């Protein structure tokens, strides 16, 4: 503390000063004043500073200044050179698509209906849950579910921009750049924070070029980077603040696969925008780990649902899926190939090996009376003793993203079979929507799998013996009847529309949107529901996760939008639907 000596200790008049210290009341007042000063300096939040036109609040802790307990001797830099030519992903709408005015009016009306749903949701969030993680869409309260860092606000920034809600975008941006990445929580989920917050900030920057957003993303990126500071540089899933600051983080032996391998696009884009290779080095080490272990598992080509990140032994796990806990690991292989400009060949190699194994082991065509040519992805178990594989016909809403995964990968790597499979998966999920009384797909369900992707004859006796007579013919059961406002089915419908130009996908999307709106709308917004199997309405769960506005409504809007809005040849969408710019010139441009 800097003080004026003459104000309190006059060496030329010691008697005056001594008299001061002989008076206890004055002494206590002096000490109290000093204490108040320190409280104001240390504990009161910092006043905003003006940064790039916004009132900006720096985080309380500077993670960029934290020394690495396990430093990297030599950072792996971003791949250099001119990006390789990557095949066009989107259908050539300019050359082949000429919608008439009536069709354009229909699409405009549908976009407006989606935007109205977003406007209703956003206005209620602003009124009842501003700067909180989630709105309670039934009661009007709020939830803290992701460390209290305004998840819905940050996650929705690019949606506001894309839907031309610019006033709301700038209001939300002004709020976002005041977030302090310190929290009352002792730890946080690094995966969700990466895909929602970091992805949201980077996409909002790529769209708007507002540099305050990039600065806030750098703060967050430095905090997330600390999660890689372990003895073997493998990341943690839950980052304990105290352990991270003491350099005591340890990788775990049983982490969900996607949670510790899905920072690639976000960290790569941050490295491109900042020129700091530490972010790329962090995720490159994880990718090398995936490359080394891909063929060491009980199903060579696939990674199990859980990973041992401490010792790297993946031979003991028996479960494999494209669904929850593993999804974005596979989703990001083709997307990483694109965002590094095709300059790192391991991503294509891993994609081809993984998807070939998925086709042979995880996909199934259901037994249906109408012989619909559709596919689903299942959950595979391997018997620990015999090695026998079992695919019982279980599937899940979350796994519907696989239609887009195959569609994009097929276009990027020139594999038409994958494009066709992507369409069959997307149409399978649309079938599951139509099959429910509400017109909405459940969280978890089971079907009768054929032994071949070419299909099988309908077996009435099997259906009557094991099927659920309260459901559409073909279902064994619905194991979780909820709908959580999920985006994965419309994600694949959107991707398949953009890469094929087939208007039937738009018609499917409109039918899905109307069903979702009818089943989930509340007075305030839209809510998760407890049972899609109940005709005429079902109980609301009073939950509206941030992906409702960040993903679900965004995909519905884009499927009806002009195809040059967020073109798949210009952007890579992360697993939370945040569009990150693809490199077009030298890497890092």
């Amino acid at each position: 503390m800097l003080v004026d000596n003459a104000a309190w200790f006059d060496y030329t008049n010691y008697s005056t000063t001594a008299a001061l210290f002989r008076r206890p009341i004055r002494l206590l007042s002096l000490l109290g004043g000093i204490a108040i000063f320190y409280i104001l300096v240390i504990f009161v939040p910092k006043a905003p500073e003006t940064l790039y036109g916004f009132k900006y609040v720096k985080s309380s802790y500077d993670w960029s200044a934290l020394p690495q307990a396990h430093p990297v001797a030599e950072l792996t830099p971003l791949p250099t050179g001119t990006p390789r030519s990557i095949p066009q992903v989107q259908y050539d709408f300019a050359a082949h698509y000429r919608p008439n005015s009536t069709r354009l009016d229909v699409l405009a009306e549908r976009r407006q209906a989606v935007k109205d749903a977003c406007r209703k949701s956003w206005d209620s969030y602003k009124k009842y849950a501003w700067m909180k993680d989630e709105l309670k869409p039934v009661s009007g309260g709020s939830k803290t579910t992701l460390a209290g860092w305004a998840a819905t606000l940050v996650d929705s920034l690019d949606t506001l921009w894309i839907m031309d809600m610019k006033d709301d975008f700038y209001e939300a941006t002004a709020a976002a750049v005041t977030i302090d990445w310190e929290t009352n929580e002792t730890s946080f989920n690094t995966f969700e924070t990466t895909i929602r917050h970091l992805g949201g900030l980077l996409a909002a920057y790529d769209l708007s070029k507002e540099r305050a957003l990039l600065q806030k993303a750098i703060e967050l990126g430095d905090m997330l980077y600390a999660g890689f500071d372990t003895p073997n540089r493998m990341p943690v899933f839950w980052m304990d603040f105290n352990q991270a600051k003491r350099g005591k983080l340890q990788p775990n032996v049983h982490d969900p696969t996607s949670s510790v391998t899905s920072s690639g696009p976000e960290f790569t884009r941050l490295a491109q925008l900042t020129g700091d290779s530490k972010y790329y080095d962090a995720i490159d080490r994880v990718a090398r780990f995936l490359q080394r272990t891909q063929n060491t598992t009980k199903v060579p080509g696939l990674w199990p649902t859980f990973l041992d990140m401490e010792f790297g032994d993946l031979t003991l796990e028996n479960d494999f899926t494209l669904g929850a806990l593993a999804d974005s690991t596979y989703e990001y292989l083709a997307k990483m190939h694109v965002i590094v400009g095709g300059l790192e060949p391991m991503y294509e190699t891993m994609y081809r090996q993984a998807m070939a194994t998925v086709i042979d082991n995880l996909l199934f065509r259901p037994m249906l009376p109408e012989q619909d040519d559709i596919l689903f992805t299942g959950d595979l178990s391997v018997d620990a003793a015999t090695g026998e594989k079992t695919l019982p016909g279980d599937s899940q809403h979350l796994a519907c993203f696989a239609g887009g995964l195959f569609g994009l990968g097929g276009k990027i790597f020139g594999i038409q079979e994958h494009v066709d499979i992507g369409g069959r998966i997307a149409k399978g999920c649309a079938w599951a929507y139509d099959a429910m009384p509400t017109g909405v797909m459940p969280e978890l369900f089971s079907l009768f799998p054929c032994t071949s992707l070419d299909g099988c004859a309908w077996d009435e006796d099997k259906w009557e013996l094991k099927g659920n007579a309260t459901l559409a013919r073909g279902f064994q059961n619905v194991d979780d009847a909820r709908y959580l406002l999920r985006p994965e089915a419309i994600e694949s419908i959107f991707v398949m529309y953009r890469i094929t130009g087939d208007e039937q996908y738009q018609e499917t999307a409109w039918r899905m949107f109307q069903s979702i709106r009818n089943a989930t709308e509340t007075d305030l917004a839209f809510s998760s529901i407890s049972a899609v199997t109940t005709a005429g309405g079902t109980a609301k769960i009073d939950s509206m996760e941030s992906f409702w506005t960040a993903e679900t409504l965004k995909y519905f809007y884009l499927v009806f939008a002009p195809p040059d809005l967020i073109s798949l040849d210009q952007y890579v969408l992360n697993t939370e639907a945040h569009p990150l710019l693809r490199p077009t010139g030298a890497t890092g441009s």
Side-chain angles (χ1 to χ4, degrees):
M1 181 176 66
L2 297 177
V3 294
D4 181 359
N5 283 335
W8 73 281
F9 197 94
D10 188 349
Y11 285 97
T12 63
N13 190 2
Y14 179 80
S15 60
T16 301
T17 306
L20 171 64
F21 280 90
R22 285 195 299 268
R23 291 173 173 83
I25 293 177
R26 293 185 181 180
L27 176 59
L28 289 173
S29 298
L30 175 66
L31 294 175
I34 295 172
I36 291 171
F37 175 84
Y38 273 102
I39 290 172
L40 291 172
V41 169
I42 296 173
F43 294 107
V44 174
K46 298 176 183 178
E49 62 177 272
T50 301
L51 183 68
Y52 305 114
F54 291 92
K55 295 296 184 181
Y56 188 97
V57 175
K58 292 181 179 179
S59 288
S60 300
Y61 188 84
D62 183 2
W63 287 92
S64 68
L66 178 68
Q68 292 277 295
H70 309 283
V72 176
E74 184 176 355
L75 294 173
T76 301
L78 280 163
T80 58
T82 302
R84 290 172 51 192
S85 176
I86 295 174
Q88 182 173 322
V89 173
Q90 285 207 163
Y91 177 76
D92 194 346
F93 289 94
H96 302 294
Y97 184 58
R98 294 289 186 273
N100 58 38
S101 59
T102 301
R103 180 66 178 173
L104 291 176
D105 289 343
V106 167
L107 295 177
E109 290 173 0
R110 293 176 178 179
R111 282 198 307 278
Q112 186 60 49
V114 177
K115 184 174 179 178
D116 289 344
C118 188
R119 164 60 66 196
K120 180 175 182 176
S121 302
W122 183 254
D123 285 350
S124 290
Y125 172 76
K126 285 201 299 182
K127 183 175 182 179
Y128 298 104
W130 186 246
M131 293 299 283
K132 304 297 184 182
D133 287 335
E134 289 182 27
L135 166 73
K136 290 183 176 180
V138 177
S139 63
S142 63
K143 290 183 180 180
T144 296
T145 52
L146 292 168
W149 292 321
T152 293
L153 185 147
V154 178
D155 218 0
S156 304
L157 285 170
D158 53 354
T159 298
L160 298 174
W161 182 273
I162 289 166
M163 292 190 186
D164 198 28
M165 297 168 64
K166 295 299 197 308
D167 289 344
D168 296 280
F169 170 83
Y170 283 108
E171 181 183 17
T173 294
V177 300
T178 68
I179 293 173
D180 188 340
W181 301 119
E182 290 292 285
T183 176
N184 292 328
E185 307 292 331
T186 58
S187 61
F188 71 98
N189 184 317
T190 58
F191 169 69
E192 297 292 354
T193 303
T194 298
I195 65 172
R196 302 195 200 205
H197 292 85
L198 183 58
L201 291 167
L202 290 172
Y205 169 74
D206 269 344
L207 291 170
S208 70
K209 304 305 180 187
E210 292 292 346
R211 292 191 63 82
L213 290 167
L214 176 58
Q215 191 63 41
K216 186 56 67 173
I218 293 170
E219 283 185 6
L220 178 55
D222 287 335
M223 183 177 76
L224 290 165
Y225 180 71
F228 292 80
D229 186 17
T230 66
N232 63 0
R233 301 299 301 182
M234 291 296 101
V236 295
F237 170 31
W238 282 89
M239 192 172 106
D240 183 284
F241 284 104
N242 185 48
Q243 289 181 358
K245 292 174 181 178
R246 293 169 52 226
K248 299 296 184 181
L249 291 176
Q250 290 284 340
N252 297 315
V253 297
H254 195 68
D255 274 336
T257 297
S258 61
S259 300
V260 286
T261 63
S262 299
S263 299
E266 298 86 356
F267 269 52
T268 299
R269 187 63 187 140
L270 189 58
Q272 291 171 343
L273 291 169
T274 62
D276 193 336
S277 288
K278 72 180 184 184
Y279 306 113
Y280 182 77
D281 175 88
I283 58 92
D284 182 73
R285 293 172 187 275
V286 176
R288 303 289 171 186
F289 165 72
L290 291 176
Q291 182 185 41
R292 288 193 306 272
T293 58
Q294 184 172 17
N295 293 312
T296 68
T297 71
K298 289 183 177 177
V299 184
L302 301 182
W303 299 276
T305 308
F306 292 91
L307 300 181
D308 177 351
M309 300 300 286
E310 183 173 6
F311 301 105
D313 183 3
L314 307 188
T315 63
L316 302 178
E317 296 289 339
N318 302 313
D319 298 320
F320 299 80
T321 185
L322 283 187
L325 307 178
D327 49 340
S328 50
T329 300
Y330 298 95
E331 177 186 357
Y332 275 175
L333 296 175
K335 292 182 177 183
M336 279 301 299
H337 175 84
V338 171
I339 204 166
V340 298
L343 296 173
E344 178 43 73
M346 69 173 164
Y347 292 109
E348 178 176 359
T349 300
M350 286 193 286
Y351 171 88
R352 288 180 178 273
Q353 290 180 352
M355 292 305 104
T357 311
V358 166
I359 293 170
D360 290 340
N361 292 274
L362 293 183
L363 297 186
F364 68 90
R365 181 170 172 173
M367 181 188 77
L368 298 173
E370 295 82 11
Q371 297 293 307
D372 304 70
D373 186 14
I374 57 178
L375 297 176
F376 290 89
T377 72
D379 302 326
L380 181 74
S381 294
V382 181
D383 187 277
T386 67
E388 181 181 358
K389 300 174 184 175
T390 303
L391 190 73
D394 298 333
S395 196
Q396 51 186 287
H397 192 293
L398 189 145
C400 281
F401 85 96
L405 180 157
F406 271 99
L408 284 173
K411 294 295 289 186
I412 291 165
F413 300 121
I415 311 171
Q416 184 58 41
E417 177 195 11
H418 289 196
V419 177
D420 297 338
I421 287 173
R424 293 170 74 187
I425 295 172
K427 291 174 183 177
C429 293
W431 173 87
Y433 266 74
D434 290 336
M436 291 294 119
T438 53
V440 182
M441 184 181 188
E443 269 287 287
L444 303 173
F445 55 95
S446 55
L447 302 160
F448 294 92
C450 297
T451 58
S452 167
L453 298 186
D454 295 327
C456 56
W458 172 254
D459 188 333
E460 185 71 21
D461 292 337
K462 177 185 282 190
W463 158 250
E464 291 182 357
L465 179 65
K466 297 183 178 180
N468 188 328
T470 67
L471 301 171
R473 288 157 66 84
F475 281 92
Q476 287 194 62
N477 200 16
V478 169
D479 304 295
D480 184 345
R482 294 176 302 162
Y483 173 62
L484 305 179
L485 303 177
R486 283 200 178 278
E488 291 83 10
I490 184 56
E491 173 184 354
S492 284
I493 296 295
F494 159 74
V495 171
M496 292 309 302
Y497 168 67
R498 284 292 188 88
I499 67 180
T500 66
D502 186 347
E503 290 183 2
Q504 285 303 309
Y505 287 111
Q506 291 180 312
E507 298 309 306
T508 297
W510 180 239
R511 192 167 64 249
M512 291 166 58
F513 174 75
Q514 290 177 295
S515 295
I516 291 171
R517 182 176 59 185
N518 292 339
T520 68
E521 189 166 14
T522 71
D523 290 341
L524 299 178
F526 299 82
S527 175
S528 299
I529 57 177
S530 61
V532 301
T533 53
T534 304
T538 184
K540 305 295 194 294
I541 301 176
D542 205 12
S543 173
M544 190 185 84
E545 278 213 51
S546 66
F547 54 61
W548 167 245
T549 46
E551 294 188 78
T552 309
L553 291 178
K554 183 189 298 170
Y555 281 128
F556 274 117
Y557 187 85
L558 288 173
V559 80
F560 304 125
D564 58 348
L565 181 62
I566 312 300
S567 166
L568 299 180
D569 292 310
Q570 292 181 292
Y571 293 92
V572 169
L573 277 70
N574 85 337
T575 198
E576 193 75 5
H578 294 307
L580 307 175
L581 272 172
R582 291 170 49 167
T584 56
T587 299
S589 64

